[in-house]
Amino acid sequence: MTKTNNASSLRRDIGFYGAAFLVLNGLIGAGIFALPGRIAENAGLLSPWLFLIVGALFLAVVLTFAELASYYDKTGGPVLYAQDAFGEFAGFSTGWAIYLSRVTAFAANAKVLSEYAADLHPILSPPPAQLTVFAVVTIGLTWANYAGVKDGVRTMAVLTFLKLTPLALLVLLGLQEVSGATFIPPAPFSVTELGVTTLALVYAYVGFETVGVTAGETDQPRRKIPRALVGTLIATGILYFLIVQVFVAVIPPEAYATSRLTDVGRALAGPIGGTVIALAAVFSIGGNLSGSMLSAPRLVYAMAEQKTLPAFFARIHPSHATPYTCILFTGGLALLLGFSGDFLGLAVASTVVRLLGYVICILSLPRIRSQASEADRAEAYRLPGGYLIPLIALVICVWLMAQSRAESWQMVGMLLAVGGVLYSIEKFVLKTGNTSEEASRE
């Protein structure tokens, strides 16, 4: 049973670097700008190593997704993995969960972007101005992706350069402040609230599944997507480690909880340094938002193609060759969530629902392996050690979900229920249509 299908109306305009940009922007968003102080407050000088350790452990999840992606060249990613393994409803539930995680994260991060933009000029500080920035960013990225996937990838490429350059300068300037005692902290080691701290830290590493969703628009996806996933996660983990090393070296321990990377920039290069880092935050989150707006609508498109959402969502623009109804729907939903919710509630819901989708995808690997043809297995990105790496990935995800609170699950349950209603409506429409067709034949 082959997992590939090249018949698609979508253009394969995403190459290796476009795939890498998707992974990078899925990973590096608001998290690295919001988390260092919170993690350092609980872990002190150990926090850079905690970033690195969690990244190394989370690599098991990414490696599992790398093998899953190597069996497919169709748009959909997690939707297809779960559906082929467990059936249509599992595929829909997984796709809807990850779609919601992307849209809620988009809304949360766009609000953070508007807050960082307020640091650049006082005119952007009042709440109405921040809401205006949020709306302009959301509508602008919606239009960029409506107009064509190439425009979406180009937007990501520009934002990726603009956000990585200041972060690289921060590391280069700040490493001279790192001493031996900072780099290798003295014992004893302690981390307060390990579970909650780790769950918060993982927010900096989720979002990589974005690239699998766009396989139908990626050139040679079965070869390029796994390489982009693994290589980019390793590079991102090293970057996080260096950034947090600089943070704990420059910021005094008593100020960890209230400090951000903009404070590190000011300490290293004065007001200009703070402004540059604020700009980096805007570009970083903008790149993350660009990747989300590129990938999230493709999940809805894939579900509509699988007839688990109304056919309205499977429409392709005649000129731009983009799933334009999905893009417009995603932009509208992001606006609604952003205007009605706060960052913390949206971010927590995004993480929990995303981990639930990861669990289903990890559990699908054994069946996908067994169903694949000999040719597909020979070409696949096979993991060493049998199922050891997927088992580690599963344990990590389940443990992380266990750290979340009841209110997070309540929000997730409500969001999933909305998807269940849409699924039921589509199935009712299909059943009614089939019944009418049979009656007309008789």
Side-chain angles (χ1 to χ4, degrees):
M1 176 181 176
T2 183
K3 306 294 181 187
T4 62
N5 182 358
N6 292 315
S8 175
S9 305
L10 301 173
R11 297 172 186 163
R12 295 190 180 276
D13 287 334
I14 302 175
F16 172 78
Y17 291 108
F21 291 153
L22 277 168
V23 180
L24 187 66
N25 286 295
L27 294 171
I28 304 179
I32 192 57
F33 292 93
L35 289 174
R38 177 174 179 179
I39 304 304
E41 182 185 13
N42 293 336
L45 295 179
L46 190 62
S47 56
W49 294 98
L50 194 59
F51 267 86
L52 201 60
I53 291 167
V54 170
L57 291 173
F58 214 69
L59 183 60
V61 181
V62 174
L63 283 167
T64 304
F65 270 77
E67 178 170 345
L68 286 166
S70 70
Y71 291 106
Y72 293 84
D73 67 0
K74 293 172 60 179
T75 293
V79 177
L80 301 181
Y81 310 157
Q83 178 169 299
D84 284 350
F86 303 118
E88 184 181 85
F89 184 70
F92 169 78
S93 299
T94 303
W96 184 252
I98 292 181
Y99 171 73
L100 288 174
S101 74
R102 298 302 294 170
V103 181
T104 51
F106 182 101
N109 290 350
K111 298 197 81 169
V112 174
L113 184 149
S114 67
E115 293 171 3
Y116 270 96
D119 291 337
L120 298 174
H121 198 284
I123 197 173
L124 300 176
S125 297
Q130 291 190 25
L131 285 176
T132 301
V133 171
F134 163 78
V136 168
V137 168
T138 303
I139 293 170
L141 288 174
T142 300
W143 174 254
N145 283 277
Y146 176 91
V149 69
K150 280 187 176 179
D151 290 336
V153 172
R154 290 191 188 109
T155 301
M156 274 196 305
V158 172
L159 291 172
T160 300
F161 174 79
L162 291 174
K163 80 178 178 183
L164 288 183
T165 301
L167 289 176
L169 290 173
L170 178 80
V171 170
L172 290 174
L173 289 174
L175 282 179
Q176 60 187 336
E177 304 293 329
V178 178
S179 64
T182 303
F183 188 77
I184 303 178
F189 305 123
S190 65
V191 179
T192 59
E193 299 182 323
L194 178 62
V196 175
T197 301
T198 306
L199 182 61
L201 197 155
V202 164
Y203 187 71
Y205 285 104
V206 297
F208 60 85
E209 76 284 346
T210 296
V211 70
V213 175
T214 58
E217 293 169 274
T218 303
D219 180 46
Q220 301 180 55
R222 298 178 61 188
R223 182 172 64 87
K224 294 180 179 179
I225 287 178
R227 289 167 50 207
L229 276 168
V230 177
T232 306
L233 181 89
I234 292 172
T236 300
I238 294 171
L239 178 62
Y240 285 168
F241 173 75
L242 295 174
I243 290 172
V244 184
Q245 278 285 356
V246 171
F247 181 92
V248 296
V250 172
I251 302 297
E254 63 273 13
Y256 284 162
T258 57
S259 298
R260 298 187 298 181
L261 290 188
T262 48
D263 298 302
V264 178
R266 291 189 191 98
L268 293 173
I272 292 177
T275 300
V276 169
I277 296 304
L279 284 170
V282 170
F283 294 135
S284 175
I285 300 168
N288 176 274
L289 297 175
S290 180
S292 292
M293 189 55 71
L294 181 64
S295 64
R298 272 70 181 179
L299 271 170
V300 179
Y301 173 81
M303 289 185 281
E305 273 201 322
Q306 299 295 330
K307 300 187 184 304
T308 56
L309 280 178
F312 169 80
F313 292 108
R315 294 179 182 176
I316 299 293
H317 195 281
S319 302
H320 304 310
T322 56
Y324 70 101
T325 55
C326 300
I327 293 170
L328 295 175
F329 174 78
T330 300
L333 181 58
L335 284 171
L336 179 63
L337 288 170
F339 281 127
S340 60
D342 59 25
F343 168 75
L344 185 58
L346 292 169
V348 169
S350 173
T351 301
V352 173
V353 75
R354 196 190 308 261
L355 287 169
L356 182 61
Y358 288 175
V359 166
I360 299 174
C361 291
I362 292 166
L363 291 173
S364 72
L365 181 59
R367 184 164 294 186
I368 289 172
R369 273 188 184 178
S370 65
Q371 292 176 344
S373 66
E374 288 294 331
D376 284 342
R377 283 198 291 268
E379 187 180 344
Y381 187 90
R382 288 297 293 268
L383 301 177
Y387 290 107
L388 178 61
I389 292 175
L391 179 60
I392 293 171
L394 182 64
V395 170
I396 289 170
C397 290
V398 171
W399 182 80
L400 287 169
M401 286 193 297
Q403 310 310 309
S404 59
R405 298 175 180 175
E407 53 265 30
S408 300
W409 284 107
Q410 291 171 359
M411 180 178 291
V412 167
M414 287 188 292
L415 292 171
L416 292 175
V418 171
V421 170
L422 290 175
Y423 176 86
S424 300
I425 291 172
E426 171 61 11
K427 289 302 156 185
F428 175 78
V429 170
L430 287 175
K431 183 178 179 181
T432 303
N434 291 337
T435 303
S436 301
E437 212 174 295
E438 290 173 4
S440 64
R441 285 201 207 100
E442 294 174 358

